[in-house]
Structures are given as structure tokens and as C-alpha cells.
Amino acid sequence: MRVDNRLADGVPMRPLACDRCAAQVLVRKSSRQQTSVQWNSGATALCAEREGAGPAFEGCGSLRDTIREATLRGTIELADGGGGGGETGGPGRQLM
């Protein structure tokens, strides 16, 4: 069995509520390009974009925007130490 050391850097998942529907999830930004989101049943029920999406749900744009803004404000920190301050995730990609 391999030891899971993904949270060994000391940056935990943080609660964050979507600005659109108030669904509260746990979020962790390992880098500008990588975001982990942990949904619970309450958040799943509240999410306006999940409603009716069925198994084809690929993510919530409103929550993505909320995470981006929280990262830019410093509410959600980047585990790799990279600053959020308006940076992009590479050519033509916005910070998530």
C-alpha cells in the first residue's frame, strides 16, 4: 500500500460557499492548474448547475468562478506557494 501524502504540505481543504447558490464545499488548490473539490450531499442538493445535469455533470461554472475569486483574494491559498494575484494557468488559461 502506498502512503497518501497529498496533504503533507500542511495546506488543508477549506470550506467555501458558492457565490451563486451558497452550496458549501471543501476546496484545496495544489497549484494554479490543480483544484480539488469535495462535494457533500447538502452542496450537491443546492447546486443550481448540478440540477438536471445527471451523470453528465462536469463541474459548476459558478463555483469555479467563486474559487478563482477566493484564490485571487487569498481566501484559498495555493499549496505550491504560487501567488493568485491575477496570474493565469498558462497561455490562454485563466486561474481556476
Side-chain angles (χ1 to χ4, degrees), residues 39 47-61 63:
W39 291 81
C47 180
E49 292 185 35
R50 259 189 188 266
E51 186 178 328
F57 181 73
E58 294 186 16
C60 176
L63 181 60

Side-chain angles (χ1 to χ4, degrees), residues 11-23:
V11 179
M13 295 193 86
R14 305 253 186 233
L16 184 69
C18 177
D19 289 338
R20 178 178 178 194
C21 66

Side-chain angles (χ1 to χ4, degrees), residues 35-96:
T35 304
S36 298
V37 178
Q38 185 174 349
W39 291 81
N40 58 41
S41 60
T44 300
L46 282 175
C47 180
E49 292 185 35
R50 259 189 188 266
E51 186 178 328
F57 181 73
E58 294 186 16
C60 176
S62 297
L63 181 60
R64 186 176 304 115
D65 292 344
T66 299
I67 293 169
R68 181 176 33 253
E69 290 302 316
T71 304
L72 292 172
R73 287 191 312 268
T75 306
I76 300 294
E77 61 188 296
L78 295 175
D80 71 0
E87 299 178 30
T88 63
R93 295 181 56 189
Q94 292 296 314
L95 176 67
M96 166 42 197

